[in-house]
């Protein structure tokens, strides 16, 4: 129903008036970013949520997405229905719309490539503005998604009945920090998405800003659920802060 999308019937979407437009693209491949066999509706929803997270780094307000899908030739109508339902949940949750996209087929596993558009981003933000003396702050507990992914993939953990649904959902249903990004965009010096792991992303931020970082591992927030796996010597702090998908 959005006029910009032009009924999804034209080759382009047209935007007449956007302020400080932010654009990012993110790709999700089954077997690379999610375990093989992950429900296709969860994959489609997760692909959007992962992409939206990048907009938060500029405090941008999401407007719409473009979705390109490469899907198995064997897919049936019911598979497309599940994909649509996953999209619907993410679009409604963040009050955005699908502005266009493309579908191709192949003999391999599903691939989703999501382009996100947002406006009112702070052009002064990015990865290269951190200064000596800045405080490094994270928006939530670290390592939950790493543990959740391993719970999905590790048969030994499944057999031990250690699967924690909350941690699994942290991986399957990411929570892009859109509102937080908007709230801090006027006083943060740099913001970065940490989906590739806290330590890896701090390294990127430091390299781009030409600064170093002192990190006390004890100060990094770990959830009660994830800490159980550290206390049981199944994972350690290094695993959690390098694991990614937060």
């Amino acid at each position: 129903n959005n006029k910009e999308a032009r009924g999804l019937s034209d080759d382009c979407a047209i935007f007449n008036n956007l302020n400080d437009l932010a654009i990012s693209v993110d790709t999700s491949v089954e077997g690379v970013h999610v375990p093989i066999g992950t429900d296709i509706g969860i994959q489609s929803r997760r692909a959007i949520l992962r992409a939206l997270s990048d907009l938060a780094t500029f405090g941008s307000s999401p407007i719409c997405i473009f979705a390109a899908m490469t899907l198995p030739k064997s897919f049936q109508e019911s598979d497309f229905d599940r994909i649509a339902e996953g999209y619907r949940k993410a679009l409604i949750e963040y009050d955005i719309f699908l502005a266009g996209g493309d579908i191709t087929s192949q003999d391999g596993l599903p691939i989703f490539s999501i382009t996100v558009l947002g406006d009112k981003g702070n052009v002064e933000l990015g990865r290269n503005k951190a200064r000596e003396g800045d405080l490094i702050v994270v928006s939530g507990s670290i390592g939950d998604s790493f543990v959740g992914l391993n719970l999905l993939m590790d048969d030994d953990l499944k057999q031990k009945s250690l699967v924690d649904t909350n941690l699994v959902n942290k991986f399957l249903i990411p929570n892009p920090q859109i509102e937080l990004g908007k709230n801090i965009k006027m006083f943060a010096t740099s913001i970065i998405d940490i989906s590739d792991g806290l330590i890896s992303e701090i390294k990127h931020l430091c390299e781009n800003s030409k600064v170093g970082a002192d990190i006390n591992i004890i100060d990094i927030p770990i959830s009660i659920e994830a800490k159980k796996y550290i206390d049981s010597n199944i994972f350690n702090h290094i695993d959690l802060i390098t694991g990614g998908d937060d």
Side-chain angles (χ1 to χ4, degrees):
N1 294 327
N2 297 86
K3 65 181 187 299
E4 293 90 350
R6 305 178 69 84
L8 300 180
S9 60
D10 290 329
D11 292 315
C12 292
I14 301 296
F15 298 86
N16 294 322
N17 184 20
L18 286 177
N19 299 315
D20 293 324
L21 176 64
I23 305 175
S24 184
V25 62
D26 196 84
T27 298
S28 178
V29 182
E30 183 175 335
V32 177
H33 301 99
V34 295
I36 292 175
T38 299
D39 180 83
I40 195 64
I42 290 176
Q43 288 192 51
S44 63
R45 181 183 183 185
R46 185 177 189 274
I48 294 176
L49 298 179
R50 278 173 50 91
L52 287 174
S53 182
D54 287 335
L55 293 181
T57 66
F58 281 87
S60 182
S61 299
I63 298 169
C64 66
I65 68 160
F66 293 81
M69 300 179 287
T70 301
L71 303 173
K73 294 178 180 178
S74 60
F75 264 26
Q76 305 295 315
E77 183 176 349
S78 59
D79 297 306
F80 286 96
D81 288 343
R82 295 207 306 278
I83 290 171
E85 178 62 15
Y87 280 173
R88 187 189 69 82
K89 288 179 178 178
L91 296 175
I92 289 175
E93 184 176 3
Y94 288 90
D95 192 24
I96 57 179
F97 64 94
L98 176 66
D102 191 36
I103 303 177
T104 56
S105 62
Q106 64 165 353
D107 293 322
L109 295 169
I111 301 172
F112 294 89
S113 185
I114 307 295
T115 300
V116 292
L117 278 71
D119 69 353
K120 301 175 184 175
N122 184 349
V123 297
E124 299 300 322
L125 286 172
R127 303 180 177 188
N128 63 347
K129 303 289 174 53
R131 302 187 297 258
E132 184 176 348
D134 280 354
L135 179 67
I136 300 171
V137 180
V138 294
S139 61
S141 55
I142 301 299
D144 286 352
S145 292
F146 165 80
V147 177
L149 173 60
N150 279 273
L151 293 176
L152 284 171
M153 298 181 63
D154 193 320
D155 289 335
D156 288 337
L157 290 178
K158 292 176 183 176
Q159 292 170 5
K160 293 175 183 177
S161 299
L162 290 172
V163 175
D164 187 304
T165 302
N166 185 48
L167 295 178
V168 170
N169 285 338
K170 286 287 186 72
F171 172 78
L172 292 176
I173 310 172
N175 179 27
Q177 299 290 328
I178 298 298
E179 291 304 315
L180 178 62
K182 290 191 286 187
N183 289 335
I184 67 174
K185 68 179 180 180
M186 298 314 296
F187 58 84
T189 56
S190 289
I191 305 179
I192 190 169
D193 174 270
I194 60 168
S195 57
D196 289 333
L198 176 64
I199 296 303
S200 173
E201 303 293 11
I202 288 179
K203 181 181 178 183
H204 290 321
L205 193 152
C206 289
E207 289 176 344
N208 280 275
S209 298
K210 295 180 172 55
V211 295
D214 291 324
I215 301 171
N216 186 342
I217 198 168
I218 302 302
D219 291 334
I220 296 174
I222 305 294
S223 70
I224 295 174
E225 294 92 340
K227 192 173 184 301
K228 291 188 298 185
Y229 295 88
I230 295 177
D231 294 341
S232 299
N233 294 318
I234 296 173
F235 301 117
N236 57 46
H237 282 87
I238 300 300
D239 293 329
L240 271 59
I241 65 177
T242 59
D245 287 307
D246 287 318

